[in-house]
Amino acid sequence: VLCVRGAGLPPLRDLPIFFLSGFLGFGLYIILFNLGLETINAATSSVLSATSPLFTAVLAALFFSDKLPRGAWLALALAFGGTALLTLWNGTLSLNQGIFWGLGAAFSMSCYNVIQRRCSRRYSSLQITGYSFVAGTLSTIFLLPGALGEFTAAPPMYKGLVFLLSAIGGSAYFLWANGIARAPRTSTVVNYMFLCPLLTLVFGYLIIEEFPHAGVLIGGGIVLCALALFNHSVRKARE
């Protein structure tokens, strides 16, 4: 990252914004997300994660004047409803403190998305991801002793999965930053987060042969229709 376009460390005036970006997107988000998973089921966690695009759309409208047409807001609500139907078709919604951890994680990621949009005016996607990653690592350095102990004791297969997850996660953050930088509106990109639960179930079928239930077909269809409505509404508003 330090060699991208001949850049070194960012100017001192930009260090706080990158530290905030890393803390929210890499540090706080992961901590809150995992705290939530300790007390709520996976279906509930998926629904809470799906609120991130809604938070992001509101924040982008407040800070960047990303005004959305009514059809786009309707599409966001429809996509959330489809995601809820998809994830809760055979599940139950648990109600405990994990709900607040999950909502906190979704809001933290939303703030990260908005900060990325601001940084994209002066930095490349690779620089934003790299600087934020370093800052996020520094913000969670206090977890290192315990993490090293658990990693050392883990079986080799799980160690390999950790490295694989790190590589995939790093690539995802870079691609995400690139999309945020190129999109005319922040909400244009984040609405695709509604596809995550659907894609997870699809890959589950392809990789571990978990046949999708009716909720996948119905809820997934609603999500796809919502995405089409969102893009149509935004494109029509530009004309």
Side-chain angles (χ1 to χ4, degrees), residues 199-233:
L199 291 176
T200 299
L201 290 171
V202 171
F203 285 129
Y205 169 70
L206 295 176
I207 297 174
I208 58 178
E209 298 183 352
E210 286 185 352
F211 190 78
H213 50 72
V216 176
L217 303 178
I218 299 175
I222 293 175
V223 171
L224 293 177
C225 290
L227 290 175
L229 174 61
F230 183 95
N231 292 323
H232 173 74
S233 299

PDB file of all heavy atoms in Angstrom, residues 199-233:
ATOM      1  N   LEU A 199     -26.510 -15.442  -1.328  1.00  0.00           N
ATOM      2  CA  LEU A 199     -25.333 -16.095  -1.894  1.00  0.00           C
ATOM      3  C   LEU A 199     -24.762 -17.135  -0.929  1.00  0.00           C
ATOM      4  O   LEU A 199     -24.261 -18.177  -1.362  1.00  0.00           O
ATOM      5  CB  LEU A 199     -24.267 -15.045  -2.225  1.00  0.00           C
ATOM      6  CG  LEU A 199     -24.597 -14.098  -3.378  1.00  0.00           C
ATOM      7  CD1 LEU A 199     -23.515 -13.044  -3.532  1.00  0.00           C
ATOM      8  CD2 LEU A 199     -24.758 -14.881  -4.678  1.00  0.00           C
ATOM      9  N   THR A 200     -24.838 -16.852   0.361  1.00  0.00           N
ATOM     10  CA  THR A 200     -24.358 -17.810   1.348  1.00  0.00           C
ATOM     11  C   THR A 200     -25.116 -19.126   1.247  1.00  0.00           C
ATOM     12  O   THR A 200     -24.524 -20.218   1.279  1.00  0.00           O
ATOM     13  CB  THR A 200     -24.508 -17.244   2.767  1.00  0.00           C
ATOM     14  OG1 THR A 200     -23.733 -16.053   2.881  1.00  0.00           O
ATOM     15  CG2 THR A 200     -24.033 -18.258   3.803  1.00  0.00           C
ATOM     16  N   LEU A 201     -26.426 -19.037   1.093  1.00  0.00           N
ATOM     17  CA  LEU A 201     -27.231 -20.252   0.991  1.00  0.00           C
ATOM     18  C   LEU A 201     -26.975 -20.974  -0.335  1.00  0.00           C
ATOM     19  O   LEU A 201     -26.953 -22.198  -0.392  1.00  0.00           O
ATOM     20  CB  LEU A 201     -28.709 -19.898   1.135  1.00  0.00           C
ATOM     21  CG  LEU A 201     -29.123 -19.460   2.537  1.00  0.00           C
ATOM     22  CD1 LEU A 201     -30.548 -18.931   2.526  1.00  0.00           C
ATOM     23  CD2 LEU A 201     -29.001 -20.604   3.522  1.00  0.00           C
ATOM     24  N   VAL A 202     -26.754 -20.205  -1.395  1.00  0.00           N
ATOM     25  CA  VAL A 202     -26.458 -20.816  -2.695  1.00  0.00           C
ATOM     26  C   VAL A 202     -25.130 -21.570  -2.647  1.00  0.00           C
ATOM     27  O   VAL A 202     -25.024 -22.717  -3.100  1.00  0.00           O
ATOM     28  CB  VAL A 202     -26.430 -19.744  -3.800  1.00  0.00           C
ATOM     29  CG1 VAL A 202     -25.906 -20.340  -5.110  1.00  0.00           C
ATOM     30  CG2 VAL A 202     -27.819 -19.170  -4.013  1.00  0.00           C
ATOM     31  N   PHE A 203     -24.106 -20.934  -2.096  1.00  0.00           N
ATOM     32  CA  PHE A 203     -22.807 -21.595  -1.980  1.00  0.00           C
ATOM     33  C   PHE A 203     -22.877 -22.791  -1.030  1.00  0.00           C
ATOM     34  O   PHE A 203     -22.157 -23.777  -1.210  1.00  0.00           O
ATOM     35  CB  PHE A 203     -21.746 -20.603  -1.497  1.00  0.00           C
ATOM     36  CG  PHE A 203     -21.306 -19.640  -2.562  1.00  0.00           C
ATOM     37  CD1 PHE A 203     -21.295 -18.275  -2.322  1.00  0.00           C
ATOM     38  CD2 PHE A 203     -20.894 -20.092  -3.806  1.00  0.00           C
ATOM     39  CE1 PHE A 203     -20.898 -17.378  -3.298  1.00  0.00           C
ATOM     40  CE2 PHE A 203     -20.492 -19.209  -4.793  1.00  0.00           C
ATOM     41  CZ  PHE A 203     -20.492 -17.844  -4.539  1.00  0.00           C
ATOM     42  N   GLY A 204     -23.736 -22.676  -0.022  1.00  0.00           N
ATOM     43  CA  GLY A 204     -23.923 -23.809   0.883  1.00  0.00           C
ATOM     44  C   GLY A 204     -24.445 -25.022   0.140  1.00  0.00           C
ATOM     45  O   GLY A 204     -24.047 -26.164   0.413  1.00  0.00           O
ATOM     46  N   TYR A 205     -25.319 -24.782  -0.818  1.00  0.00           N
ATOM     47  CA  TYR A 205     -25.856 -25.878  -1.628  1.00  0.00           C
ATOM     48  C   TYR A 205     -24.784 -26.447  -2.561  1.00  0.00           C
ATOM     49  O   TYR A 205     -24.635 -27.665  -2.696  1.00  0.00           O
ATOM     50  CB  TYR A 205     -27.044 -25.383  -2.435  1.00  0.00           C
ATOM     51  CG  TYR A 205     -27.506 -26.364  -3.491  1.00  0.00           C
ATOM     52  CD1 TYR A 205     -28.130 -27.564  -3.140  1.00  0.00           C
ATOM     53  CD2 TYR A 205     -27.307 -26.095  -4.843  1.00  0.00           C
ATOM     54  CE1 TYR A 205     -28.537 -28.471  -4.100  1.00  0.00           C
ATOM     55  CE2 TYR A 205     -27.715 -26.991  -5.817  1.00  0.00           C
ATOM     56  CZ  TYR A 205     -28.325 -28.172  -5.445  1.00  0.00           C
ATOM     57  OH  TYR A 205     -28.732 -29.067  -6.401  1.00  0.00           O
ATOM     58  N   LEU A 206     -23.999 -25.559  -3.182  1.00  0.00           N
ATOM     59  CA  LEU A 206     -23.000 -26.000  -4.151  1.00  0.00           C
ATOM     60  C   LEU A 206     -21.817 -26.700  -3.492  1.00  0.00           C
ATOM     61  O   LEU A 206     -21.263 -27.651  -4.049  1.00  0.00           O
ATOM     62  CB  LEU A 206     -22.498 -24.801  -4.965  1.00  0.00           C
ATOM     63  CG  LEU A 206     -23.527 -24.101  -5.862  1.00  0.00           C
ATOM     64  CD1 LEU A 206     -22.908 -22.888  -6.525  1.00  0.00           C
ATOM     65  CD2 LEU A 206     -24.068 -25.071  -6.907  1.00  0.00           C
ATOM     66  N   ILE A 207     -21.431 -26.237  -2.299  1.00  0.00           N
ATOM     67  CA  ILE A 207     -20.216 -26.753  -1.670  1.00  0.00           C
ATOM     68  C   ILE A 207     -20.500 -27.899  -0.705  1.00  0.00           C
ATOM     69  O   ILE A 207     -19.800 -28.928  -0.713  1.00  0.00           O
ATOM     70  CB  ILE A 207     -19.480 -25.612  -0.938  1.00  0.00           C
ATOM     71  CG1 ILE A 207     -19.038 -24.547  -1.960  1.00  0.00           C
ATOM     72  CG2 ILE A 207     -18.258 -26.143  -0.173  1.00  0.00           C
ATOM     73  CD1 ILE A 207     -18.428 -23.315  -1.328  1.00  0.00           C
ATOM     74  N   ILE A 208     -21.517 -27.740   0.141  1.00  0.00           N
ATOM     75  CA  ILE A 208     -21.789 -28.787   1.130  1.00  0.00           C
ATOM     76  C   ILE A 208     -23.146 -29.452   0.905  1.00  0.00           C
ATOM     77  O   ILE A 208     -23.661 -30.146   1.778  1.00  0.00           O
ATOM     78  CB  ILE A 208     -21.706 -28.226   2.568  1.00  0.00           C
ATOM     79  CG1 ILE A 208     -22.680 -27.065   2.770  1.00  0.00           C
ATOM     80  CG2 ILE A 208     -20.294 -27.788   2.894  1.00  0.00           C
ATOM     81  CD1 ILE A 208     -22.664 -26.500   4.185  1.00  0.00           C
ATOM     82  N   GLU A 209     -23.741 -29.207  -0.271  1.00  0.00           N
ATOM     83  CA  GLU A 209     -24.958 -29.893  -0.705  1.00  0.00           C
ATOM     84  C   GLU A 209     -26.132 -29.694   0.242  1.00  0.00           C
ATOM     85  O   GLU A 209     -26.886 -30.614   0.534  1.00  0.00           O
ATOM     86  CB  GLU A 209     -24.677 -31.385  -0.891  1.00  0.00           C
ATOM     87  CG  GLU A 209     -23.630 -31.659  -1.961  1.00  0.00           C
ATOM     88  CD  GLU A 209     -23.404 -33.144  -2.185  1.00  0.00           C
ATOM     89  OE1 GLU A 209     -23.959 -33.945  -1.405  1.00  0.00           O
ATOM     90  OE2 GLU A 209     -22.676 -33.494  -3.117  1.00  0.00           O
ATOM     91  N   GLU A 210     -26.285 -28.504   0.749  1.00  0.00           N
ATOM     92  CA  GLU A 210     -27.470 -28.148   1.524  1.00  0.00           C
ATOM     93  C   GLU A 210     -28.532 -27.622   0.554  1.00  0.00           C
ATOM     94  O   GLU A 210     -28.392 -26.539   0.001  1.00  0.00           O
ATOM     95  CB  GLU A 210     -27.138 -27.083   2.574  1.00  0.00           C
ATOM     96  CG  GLU A 210     -26.348 -27.600   3.751  1.00  0.00           C
ATOM     97  CD  GLU A 210     -26.153 -26.539   4.825  1.00  0.00           C
ATOM     98  OE1 GLU A 210     -26.505 -25.378   4.571  1.00  0.00           O
ATOM     99  OE2 GLU A 210     -25.643 -26.871   5.900  1.00  0.00           O
ATOM    100  N   PHE A 211     -29.568 -28.410   0.347  1.00  0.00           N
ATOM    101  CA  PHE A 211     -30.583 -28.022  -0.628  1.00  0.00           C
ATOM    102  C   PHE A 211     -31.376 -26.822  -0.114  1.00  0.00           C
ATOM    103  O   PHE A 211     -31.866 -26.841   1.020  1.00  0.00           O
ATOM    104  CB  PHE A 211     -31.538 -29.180  -0.911  1.00  0.00           C
ATOM    105  CG  PHE A 211     -32.458 -28.917  -2.074  1.00  0.00           C
ATOM    106  CD1 PHE A 211     -31.997 -29.050  -3.373  1.00  0.00           C
ATOM    107  CD2 PHE A 211     -33.772 -28.513  -1.860  1.00  0.00           C
ATOM    108  CE1 PHE A 211     -32.842 -28.808  -4.444  1.00  0.00           C
ATOM    109  CE2 PHE A 211     -34.616 -28.259  -2.920  1.00  0.00           C
ATOM    110  CZ  PHE A 211     -34.143 -28.411  -4.219  1.00  0.00           C
ATOM    111  N   PRO A 212     -31.509 -25.782  -0.914  1.00  0.00           N
ATOM    112  CA  PRO A 212     -32.232 -24.581  -0.462  1.00  0.00           C
ATOM    113  C   PRO A 212     -33.718 -24.853  -0.266  1.00  0.00           C
ATOM    114  O   PRO A 212     -34.355 -25.516  -1.074  1.00  0.00           O
ATOM    115  CB  PRO A 212     -31.999 -23.579  -1.598  1.00  0.00           C
ATOM    116  CG  PRO A 212     -31.708 -24.417  -2.792  1.00  0.00           C
ATOM    117  CD  PRO A 212     -30.981 -25.624  -2.285  1.00  0.00           C
ATOM    118  N   HIS A 213     -34.264 -24.320   0.831  1.00  0.00           N
ATOM    119  CA  HIS A 213     -35.682 -24.507   1.112  1.00  0.00           C
ATOM    120  C   HIS A 213     -36.508 -23.456   0.370  1.00  0.00           C
ATOM    121  O   HIS A 213     -35.978 -22.592  -0.336  1.00  0.00           O
ATOM    122  CB  HIS A 213     -35.939 -24.431   2.614  1.00  0.00           C
ATOM    123  CG  HIS A 213     -35.330 -23.223   3.264  1.00  0.00           C
ATOM    124  ND1 HIS A 213     -35.812 -21.948   3.091  1.00  0.00           N
ATOM    125  CD2 HIS A 213     -34.260 -23.115   4.089  1.00  0.00           C
ATOM    126  CE1 HIS A 213     -35.087 -21.099   3.775  1.00  0.00           C
ATOM    127  NE2 HIS A 213     -34.135 -21.768   4.395  1.00  0.00           N
ATOM    128  N   ALA A 214     -37.817 -23.534   0.526  1.00  0.00           N
ATOM    129  CA  ALA A 214     -38.706 -22.626  -0.203  1.00  0.00           C
ATOM    130  C   ALA A 214     -38.447 -21.171   0.152  1.00  0.00           C
ATOM    131  O   ALA A 214     -38.633 -20.275  -0.681  1.00  0.00           O
ATOM    132  CB  ALA A 214     -40.167 -22.987   0.096  1.00  0.00           C
ATOM    133  N   GLY A 215     -38.000 -20.921   1.381  1.00  0.00           N
ATOM    134  CA  GLY A 215     -37.714 -19.551   1.785  1.00  0.00           C
ATOM    135  C   GLY A 215     -36.627 -18.916   0.959  1.00  0.00           C
ATOM    136  O   GLY A 215     -36.634 -17.696   0.732  1.00  0.00           O
ATOM    137  N   VAL A 216     -35.663 -19.732   0.492  1.00  0.00           N
ATOM    138  CA  VAL A 216     -34.586 -19.214  -0.354  1.00  0.00           C
ATOM    139  C   VAL A 216     -35.154 -18.718  -1.682  1.00  0.00           C
ATOM    140  O   VAL A 216     -34.799 -17.647  -2.172  1.00  0.00           O
ATOM    141  CB  VAL A 216     -33.520 -20.306  -0.601  1.00  0.00           C
ATOM    142  CG1 VAL A 216     -32.449 -19.797  -1.559  1.00  0.00           C
ATOM    143  CG2 VAL A 216     -32.895 -20.749   0.706  1.00  0.00           C
ATOM    144  N   LEU A 217     -36.037 -19.508  -2.255  1.00  0.00           N
ATOM    145  CA  LEU A 217     -36.609 -19.149  -3.551  1.00  0.00           C
ATOM    146  C   LEU A 217     -37.500 -17.914  -3.444  1.00  0.00           C
ATOM    147  O   LEU A 217     -37.413 -16.996  -4.274  1.00  0.00           O
ATOM    148  CB  LEU A 217     -37.394 -20.332  -4.114  1.00  0.00           C
ATOM    149  CG  LEU A 217     -36.601 -21.636  -4.283  1.00  0.00           C
ATOM    150  CD1 LEU A 217     -37.510 -22.740  -4.802  1.00  0.00           C
ATOM    151  CD2 LEU A 217     -35.425 -21.424  -5.218  1.00  0.00           C
ATOM    152  N   ILE A 218     -38.334 -17.881  -2.418  1.00  0.00           N
ATOM    153  CA  ILE A 218     -39.256 -16.747  -2.267  1.00  0.00           C
ATOM    154  C   ILE A 218     -38.522 -15.496  -1.787  1.00  0.00           C
ATOM    155  O   ILE A 218     -38.609 -14.429  -2.409  1.00  0.00           O
ATOM    156  CB  ILE A 218     -40.381 -17.102  -1.274  1.00  0.00           C
ATOM    157  CG1 ILE A 218     -41.180 -18.308  -1.800  1.00  0.00           C
ATOM    158  CG2 ILE A 218     -41.298 -15.910  -1.066  1.00  0.00           C
ATOM    159  CD1 ILE A 218     -42.232 -18.816  -0.835  1.00  0.00           C
ATOM    160  N   GLY A 219     -37.778 -15.632  -0.684  1.00  0.00           N
ATOM    161  CA  GLY A 219     -37.045 -14.486  -0.154  1.00  0.00           C
ATOM    162  C   GLY A 219     -35.982 -14.001  -1.114  1.00  0.00           C
ATOM    163  O   GLY A 219     -35.810 -12.790  -1.304  1.00  0.00           O
ATOM    164  N   GLY A 220     -35.266 -14.930  -1.736  1.00  0.00           N
ATOM    165  CA  GLY A 220     -34.243 -14.539  -2.714  1.00  0.00           C
ATOM    166  C   GLY A 220     -34.849 -13.829  -3.904  1.00  0.00           C
ATOM    167  O   GLY A 220     -34.290 -12.867  -4.427  1.00  0.00           O
ATOM    168  N   GLY A 221     -36.015 -14.296  -4.358  1.00  0.00           N
ATOM    169  CA  GLY A 221     -36.694 -13.623  -5.468  1.00  0.00           C
ATOM    170  C   GLY A 221     -37.094 -12.205  -5.114  1.00  0.00           C
ATOM    171  O   GLY A 221     -36.983 -11.288  -5.935  1.00  0.00           O
ATOM    172  N   ILE A 222     -37.546 -12.004  -3.878  1.00  0.00           N
ATOM    173  CA  ILE A 222     -37.918 -10.666  -3.423  1.00  0.00           C
ATOM    174  C   ILE A 222     -36.689  -9.750  -3.403  1.00  0.00           C
ATOM    175  O   ILE A 222     -36.750  -8.587  -3.826  1.00  0.00           O
ATOM    176  CB  ILE A 222     -38.553 -10.728  -2.017  1.00  0.00           C
ATOM    177  CG1 ILE A 222     -39.903 -11.447  -2.092  1.00  0.00           C
ATOM    178  CG2 ILE A 222     -38.724  -9.331  -1.430  1.00  0.00           C
ATOM    179  CD1 ILE A 222     -40.559 -11.665  -0.734  1.00  0.00           C
ATOM    180  N   VAL A 223     -35.556 -10.281  -2.928  1.00  0.00           N
ATOM    181  CA  VAL A 223     -34.329  -9.491  -2.879  1.00  0.00           C
ATOM    182  C   VAL A 223     -33.897  -9.070  -4.281  1.00  0.00           C
ATOM    183  O   VAL A 223     -33.536  -7.910  -4.525  1.00  0.00           O
ATOM    184  CB  VAL A 223     -33.201 -10.284  -2.186  1.00  0.00           C
ATOM    185  CG1 VAL A 223     -31.861  -9.559  -2.333  1.00  0.00           C
ATOM    186  CG2 VAL A 223     -33.521 -10.476  -0.711  1.00  0.00           C
ATOM    187  N   LEU A 224     -33.933  -9.999  -5.223  1.00  0.00           N
ATOM    188  CA  LEU A 224     -33.538  -9.682  -6.595  1.00  0.00           C
ATOM    189  C   LEU A 224     -34.474  -8.653  -7.219  1.00  0.00           C
ATOM    190  O   LEU A 224     -34.040  -7.735  -7.925  1.00  0.00           O
ATOM    191  CB  LEU A 224     -33.511 -10.961  -7.438  1.00  0.00           C
ATOM    192  CG  LEU A 224     -32.436 -11.984  -7.059  1.00  0.00           C
ATOM    193  CD1 LEU A 224     -32.567 -13.235  -7.905  1.00  0.00           C
ATOM    194  CD2 LEU A 224     -31.047 -11.376  -7.224  1.00  0.00           C
ATOM    195  N   CYS A 225     -35.757  -8.770  -6.951  1.00  0.00           N
ATOM    196  CA  CYS A 225     -36.719  -7.781  -7.458  1.00  0.00           C
ATOM    197  C   CYS A 225     -36.472  -6.418  -6.828  1.00  0.00           C
ATOM    198  O   CYS A 225     -36.586  -5.377  -7.497  1.00  0.00           O
ATOM    199  CB  CYS A 225     -38.149  -8.245  -7.165  1.00  0.00           C
ATOM    200  SG  CYS A 225     -38.687  -9.668  -8.133  1.00  0.00           S
ATOM    201  N   ALA A 226     -36.119  -6.418  -5.542  1.00  0.00           N
ATOM    202  CA  ALA A 226     -35.836  -5.161  -4.859  1.00  0.00           C
ATOM    203  C   ALA A 226     -34.610  -4.478  -5.446  1.00  0.00           C
ATOM    204  O   ALA A 226     -34.584  -3.250  -5.619  1.00  0.00           O
ATOM    205  CB  ALA A 226     -35.633  -5.418  -3.364  1.00  0.00           C
ATOM    206  N   LEU A 227     -33.586  -5.245  -5.766  1.00  0.00           N
ATOM    207  CA  LEU A 227     -32.389  -4.678  -6.386  1.00  0.00           C
ATOM    208  C   LEU A 227     -32.712  -4.083  -7.753  1.00  0.00           C
ATOM    209  O   LEU A 227     -32.214  -3.012  -8.117  1.00  0.00           O
ATOM    210  CB  LEU A 227     -31.306  -5.756  -6.523  1.00  0.00           C
ATOM    211  CG  LEU A 227     -30.667  -6.240  -5.219  1.00  0.00           C
ATOM    212  CD1 LEU A 227     -29.713  -7.395  -5.501  1.00  0.00           C
ATOM    213  CD2 LEU A 227     -29.919  -5.102  -4.540  1.00  0.00           C
ATOM    214  N   ALA A 228     -33.539  -4.776  -8.515  1.00  0.00           N
ATOM    215  CA  ALA A 228     -33.942  -4.267  -9.821  1.00  0.00           C
ATOM    216  C   ALA A 228     -34.737  -2.971  -9.670  1.00  0.00           C
ATOM    217  O   ALA A 228     -34.540  -2.007 -10.419  1.00  0.00           O
ATOM    218  CB  ALA A 228     -34.768  -5.317 -10.564  1.00  0.00           C
ATOM    219  N   LEU A 229     -35.644  -2.924  -8.689  1.00  0.00           N
ATOM    220  CA  LEU A 229     -36.425  -1.723  -8.432  1.00  0.00           C
ATOM    221  C   LEU A 229     -35.531  -0.566  -7.996  1.00  0.00           C
ATOM    222  O   LEU A 229     -35.714   0.579  -8.432  1.00  0.00           O
ATOM    223  CB  LEU A 229     -37.477  -2.002  -7.357  1.00  0.00           C
ATOM    224  CG  LEU A 229     -38.301  -0.798  -6.870  1.00  0.00           C
ATOM    225  CD1 LEU A 229     -39.089  -0.187  -8.027  1.00  0.00           C
ATOM    226  CD2 LEU A 229     -39.246  -1.221  -5.738  1.00  0.00           C
ATOM    227  N   PHE A 230     -34.550  -0.858  -7.140  1.00  0.00           N
ATOM    228  CA  PHE A 230     -33.634   0.178  -6.663  1.00  0.00           C
ATOM    229  C   PHE A 230     -32.873   0.792  -7.834  1.00  0.00           C
ATOM    230  O   PHE A 230     -32.819   2.021  -7.993  1.00  0.00           O
ATOM    231  CB  PHE A 230     -32.653  -0.418  -5.651  1.00  0.00           C
ATOM    232  CG  PHE A 230     -31.715   0.593  -5.055  1.00  0.00           C
ATOM    233  CD1 PHE A 230     -32.007   1.194  -3.840  1.00  0.00           C
ATOM    234  CD2 PHE A 230     -30.540   0.937  -5.698  1.00  0.00           C
ATOM    235  CE1 PHE A 230     -31.149   2.127  -3.284  1.00  0.00           C
ATOM    236  CE2 PHE A 230     -29.669   1.873  -5.156  1.00  0.00           C
ATOM    237  CZ  PHE A 230     -29.971   2.470  -3.951  1.00  0.00           C
ATOM    238  N   ASN A 231     -32.256  -0.039  -8.658  1.00  0.00           N
ATOM    239  CA  ASN A 231     -31.479   0.459  -9.785  1.00  0.00           C
ATOM    240  C   ASN A 231     -32.344   1.206 -10.789  1.00  0.00           C
ATOM    241  O   ASN A 231     -31.917   2.229 -11.352  1.00  0.00           O
ATOM    242  CB  ASN A 231     -30.744  -0.690 -10.463  1.00  0.00           C
ATOM    243  CG  ASN A 231     -29.658  -1.282  -9.595  1.00  0.00           C
ATOM    244  OD1 ASN A 231     -28.976  -0.559  -8.868  1.00  0.00           O
ATOM    245  ND2 ASN A 231     -29.481  -2.587  -9.649  1.00  0.00           N
ATOM    246  N   HIS A 232     -33.563   0.716 -11.010  1.00  0.00           N
ATOM    247  CA  HIS A 232     -34.474   1.390 -11.933  1.00  0.00           C
ATOM    248  C   HIS A 232     -34.866   2.766 -11.400  1.00  0.00           C
ATOM    249  O   HIS A 232     -34.902   3.753 -12.152  1.00  0.00           O
ATOM    250  CB  HIS A 232     -35.713   0.536 -12.159  1.00  0.00           C
ATOM    251  CG  HIS A 232     -36.786   1.227 -12.957  1.00  0.00           C
ATOM    252  ND1 HIS A 232     -36.685   1.429 -14.319  1.00  0.00           N
ATOM    253  CD2 HIS A 232     -37.979   1.780 -12.572  1.00  0.00           C
ATOM    254  CE1 HIS A 232     -37.762   2.063 -14.749  1.00  0.00           C
ATOM    255  NE2 HIS A 232     -38.552   2.289 -13.701  1.00  0.00           N
ATOM    256  N   SER A 233     -35.150   2.849 -10.101  1.00  0.00           N
ATOM    257  CA  SER A 233     -35.568   4.111  -9.499  1.00  0.00           C
ATOM    258  C   SER A 233     -34.445   5.145  -9.542  1.00  0.00           C
ATOM    259  O   SER A 233     -34.671   6.329  -9.862  1.00  0.00           O
ATOM    260  CB  SER A 233     -35.992   3.881  -8.038  1.00  0.00           C
ATOM    261  OG  SER A 233     -37.081   2.999  -7.968  1.00  0.00           O
TER     262      SER A 233
END
